Amino acid sequence: MKAILGIAAVLAVVTKCAALPIKRASSIPITDTVILNFALTLEHLEVAFYQEGLAKFDEAAFEAAGLPPFARGRFEQISVNEQTHERVLTEILGPNATQACTYSFPLSDPKAFAAMSAIFEGVGTAAYTGAANLLSDPTHVTEAASILATEARQAAWVESAVNKENPWSTPFETPLDMNQAFSLAAGFIVSCPSTNPVLPAMAFPVLNVTSPSYAAGDILTLSFNRTAAGAAPSNESTQLFLSLLTGLGKIFLPVYNAGGDNWSTTLPEGLKGTVYALVTNSNMTATDSDTVAGVAALQFPFNSQAPENS
């Protein structure tokens, strides 16, 4: 079992500077324009990612990497979908639309491209799910739901047909709020136009999964700085928790210091698919104000014969 975002070296490096290129403010009102601009921020990133990856890796590169022969063509279709999402959101927002930024993606080969595609599609799905209750205009709700459904279909296809993993996790998608989703995406953003509108989003201090592999029931090792800028308050006597977001539920696991920024916890049984992890100073809630570090994405594959729990 693996840590995807947590590919760990990839995001351990890039998320240390996350959120710096984005103008942000926590006190601005959450309007439909703000929510749609946040969605557009993610769509800009996805468009740039697919364009760069497909320009870098041709059909022969996909074949040499051992990916299915149909994979690149489907990724081209996903790229067109993301460009359409980008265009439609830009048209809805008009002069208020945020502009694309400059990005950096660690694309070493087509398999890395496919793994990162699964990350972006999963984060997009979770972000749209988390923002659904913040939209007030019924037309915008329908538009966002339509994009959400396509992102979810794309995520399922990449994970199952290309990466040979499970196409879904629990019976419910895990919703991520803006800061949680932004923490998973912002490390790929290098710089943005100074004219872009302010967004009420910030990235949490980085959470690294240092276990080379893990499974339910294993000890999971972590690295994070509980006193980093932006971390929720804690001191040496504060019990911290690894908060696992899975479907519509949360699981809180006590974490124990192993010296310095090194920590550990024991994973429970029964985890499936993608589980988002935060370190919090509470075992009751996993809100932004409780979060010490995050977000990491943990993957717990399950086979096609495994019964799902309702």
Side-chain angles (χ1 to χ4, degrees):
M1 290 36 173
K2 57 192 183 207
I4 2 181
L5 256 160
I7 293 178
V10 172
L11 279 160
V13 174
V14 293
T15 52
K16 288 182 180 178
C17 299
L20 294 181
I22 299 289
K23 292 191 296 184
R24 51 188 170 82
S26 59
S27 59
I28 67 173
I30 303 299
T31 64
D32 280 20
T33 296
V34 169
I35 297 301
L36 295 178
N37 258 326
F38 182 70
L40 182 55
T41 297
L42 299 180
E43 296 294 348
H44 283 320
L45 183 147
E46 288 184 300
V47 167
F49 166 74
Y50 285 111
Q51 289 178 335
E52 180 177 328
L54 291 171
K56 188 172 184 178
F57 305 119
D58 60 13
E59 194 73 50
F62 270 72
E63 182 179 352
L67 296 179
F70 53 79
R72 194 179 185 282
R74 290 292 193 205
F75 279 122
E76 289 177 342
Q77 293 173 342
I78 291 175
S79 179
V80 172
N81 288 346
E82 302 300 355
Q83 291 174 58
T84 303
H85 297 165
E86 178 187 54
R87 175 181 55 78
V88 169
L89 289 172
T90 299
E91 290 173 353
I92 292 169
L93 288 161
N96 297 315
T98 194
Q99 302 301 306
C101 300
T102 301
Y103 309 95
S104 177
F105 305 108
L107 295 175
S108 56
D109 56 51
K111 284 190 174 180
F113 170 78
M116 291 186 66
S117 171
I119 291 167
F120 289 141
E121 296 298 329
V123 171
T125 302
Y128 274 100
T129 302
N133 68 330
L134 301 176
L135 291 167
S136 58
D137 186 323
T139 300
H140 294 160
V141 172
T142 300
E143 291 160 344
S146 183
I147 293 175
L148 163 61
T150 298
E151 297 281 349
R153 289 174 185 239
Q154 292 171 172
W157 176 80
V158 175
E159 280 287 58
S160 59
V162 181
N163 295 337
K164 307 304 180 184
E165 300 286 0
N166 40 276
W168 52 77
S169 299
T170 74
F172 300 96
E173 180 59 48
T174 302
L176 294 178
D177 69 25
M178 282 196 287
N179 287 345
Q180 292 165 350
F182 191 64
S183 294
L184 292 169
F188 300 101
I189 302 173
V190 176
S191 63
C192 293
S194 60
T195 54
N196 272 2
V198 174
L199 289 176
M202 60 175 287
F204 300 122
V206 66
L207 170 61
N208 291 321
V209 175
T210 54
S211 295
S213 63
Y214 55 82
D218 287 354
I219 293 175
L220 183 74
T221 57
L222 310 164
S223 175
F224 63 90
N225 180 359
R226 66 173 180 79
T227 62
S234 68
N235 57 46
E236 291 184 359
S237 63
T238 303
Q239 177 63 65
L240 299 179
F241 300 88
L242 188 68
S243 300
L244 303 180
L245 312 182
T246 173
L248 299 179
K250 299 178 179 67
I251 300 170
F252 298 95
L253 310 174
V255 296
Y256 302 100
N257 187 256
D261 291 342
N262 299 309
W263 303 76
S264 67
T265 191
T266 301
L267 293 168
E269 300 290 341
L271 297 173
K272 287 185 177 182
T274 300
V275 176
Y276 295 106
L278 305 163
V279 175
T280 62
N281 61 11
S282 169
N283 64 347
M284 300 295 291
T285 59
T287 64
D288 293 346
S289 61
D290 303 322
T291 300
V292 175
V295 178
L298 309 176
Q299 183 82 342
F300 298 89
F302 57 92
N303 65 42
S304 61
Q305 303 305 310
E308 287 193 40
N309 297 321
S310 60

